[in-house]
Amino acid sequence: MVTKLAYDYDRQGDSLFIYSVEEYEYEVSLELDNDVILDIDKEGNPVAFEFLNASKLFHLEKSYFKNLIKITVKSTVTDESIKLTAELVVPVHNKTQIFDINRITSNLTGIPETESELVTA
């Protein structure tokens, strides 16, 4: 399942919120670690992601978050784990560069198996 997304960056709080632009019913938020939060809809699909301390997580200056060219977030949920990969494409000194993170945690909450990819339009 590929879903289009949008994002908001709060420079003062250094948080990046990436979310599906399609309508969904929120169910629960899961902390993948101290700085990554995943929102799940009522059908068990990942629909939003919050990255706290985003500049540190992605090793990217705060000013570059306003110029993101493309964002791709992939999530894979199995019975055992939840894996998240986020990739930001950013122009830095007239060159396109990719900044990414990978997170994995146990699926202790019983989220149903799913695989999704959210991409900016």
Side-chain angles (χ1 to χ4, degrees), residues 34-106:
N34 289 336
D35 292 326
V36 180
I37 301 166
L38 168 65
D39 288 350
I40 305 290
D41 72 5
K42 293 224 181 247
E43 268 107 59
N45 298 310
V47 291
F49 311 86
E50 187 168 9
F51 300 93
L52 308 175
N53 301 305
S55 62
K56 291 177 185 156
L57 282 176
F58 287 97
H59 305 287
L60 183 63
E61 293 288 327
K62 290 181 179 183
S63 61
Y64 288 112
F65 283 95
K66 66 181 176 183
N67 298 320
L68 300 179
I69 295 172
K70 182 179 179 184
I71 301 171
T72 303
V73 182
K74 296 178 183 176
S75 60
T76 304
V77 179
T78 66
D79 286 337
E80 296 84 32
S81 66
I82 301 169
K83 180 180 179 185
L84 175 73
T85 303
E87 184 177 275
L88 308 179
V89 179
V90 184
V92 178
H93 303 296
N94 297 322
K95 293 183 182 178
T96 301
Q97 295 189 20
I98 297 172
F99 298 84
D100 64 353
I101 65 166
N102 295 291
R103 294 293 187 267
I104 191 165
T105 191
S106 298

Side-chain angles (χ1 to χ4, degrees), residues 15-28:
S15 66
L16 177 63
F17 184 61
I18 301 170
Y19 54 94
S20 170
V21 295
E22 297 175 15
E23 197 170 308
Y24 61 86
E25 280 190 66
Y26 168 83
E27 175 73 18
V28 66

Side-chain angles (χ1 to χ4, degrees), residues 3-6 21 69-71 119-121:
T3 304
K4 291 182 181 175
L5 60 83
V21 295
I69 295 172
K70 182 179 179 184
I71 301 171
V119 181
T120 47

